[in-house]
Structure formats: structure tokens, C-alpha cells
Amino acid sequence: RNKFLNRKYLMQEMYQNFVEGDDVWDLPPEKDPFHEDPETEVLIGSVQVYLRPLTYMIEFDENVSIQDFKGNEQGRMEVFAAPLTDDGREATDDDDLFIDDPSELVGEK
């Protein structure tokens, strides 16, 4: 909010200078209120990812919707998660890690 208000003030000041006849528009990027560093992180929305398959030791690969604060879709995101073995590698079908009840995992590492 503060960044927005500061930029708004600088834009108004630039406009006022223009009205008064000042034609200096070529500002360095750090002083230009219209410049945004392309490396700046911007929150465009959020994603709900349900991890329930992992409680059954099942991997999942989903394409989920990125939604803004109004619930409008702003994009899509690919999410992949898989259970790991005790030594930290991705579990395969040969590891036979499927369980019938997630409570079996309580107390396990």
C-alpha cells in the first residue's frame, strides 16, 4: 500500500511538472514511478493443493487453477508430489508402500 501511495504521489508530481512546462520525463529507473523491476515478485493468486493422496502413499500429478482474491482464474499450475522411501528417493511400485489406513503412518518417520 505504501509503495502504491508513493508512486501515485510521484506520478501526480510528474504531471504537475508537465502542466507547469517541465519537459524532463527521462528519469532513472529508481526514480521513475512507472518502472517496475522485472525481477520483482508479485502475488497473482493462490492455489489449493490437497495432500490426501500422500497419506495413502500415492503420488499425484495435478493441473490446478491459480485464483486471485476474487476467485477469478489467473492461470494454471502443474503440481507433482510423491512419497519418498526411508533413504529419500522417490517411491516406486516395487517399494509396495500403499497402505489402507493413514493412521498406520502415525509414529513413523
Side-chain angles (χ1 to χ4, degrees):
R1 177 175 162 92
N2 288 339
K3 183 176 179 180
F4 169 77
L5 292 175
N6 288 339
R7 284 185 174 194
K8 179 180 181 276
Y9 171 74
L10 290 171
M11 288 175 193
Q12 288 172 328
E13 185 179 344
M14 283 179 74
Y15 177 73
Q16 188 61 39
N17 290 344
F18 170 75
V19 169
E20 294 172 358
D22 187 6
D23 60 352
V24 179
W25 288 92
D26 194 19
L27 296 174
E30 61 273 1
K31 293 189 179 209
D32 186 351
F34 296 99
H35 176 78
E36 181 70 56
D37 182 10
E39 297 298 317
T40 302
E41 292 184 14
V42 178
L43 177 66
I44 60 170
S46 59
V47 172
Q48 293 260 339
V49 177
Y50 298 99
L51 302 176
R52 188 148 188 110
L54 290 180
T55 64
Y56 290 93
M57 304 301 281
I58 298 173
E59 71 179 34
F60 67 94
D61 189 2
E62 297 287 331
N63 191 329
V64 293
S65 172
I66 301 170
Q67 297 182 344
D68 66 9
F69 69 98
K70 292 182 180 179
N72 299 322
E73 184 173 306
Q74 297 299 313
R76 307 284 304 166
M77 184 171 78
E78 186 76 24
V79 178
F80 175 80
L84 301 177
T85 61
D86 290 339
D87 59 357
R89 64 181 173 76
E90 189 175 317
T92 64
D93 291 337
D94 295 335
D95 293 315
D96 193 32
L97 294 178
F98 180 79
I99 58 170
D100 291 321
D101 183 11
S103 64
E104 296 174 24
L105 295 175
V106 174
E108 298 291 320
K109 61 176 186 169

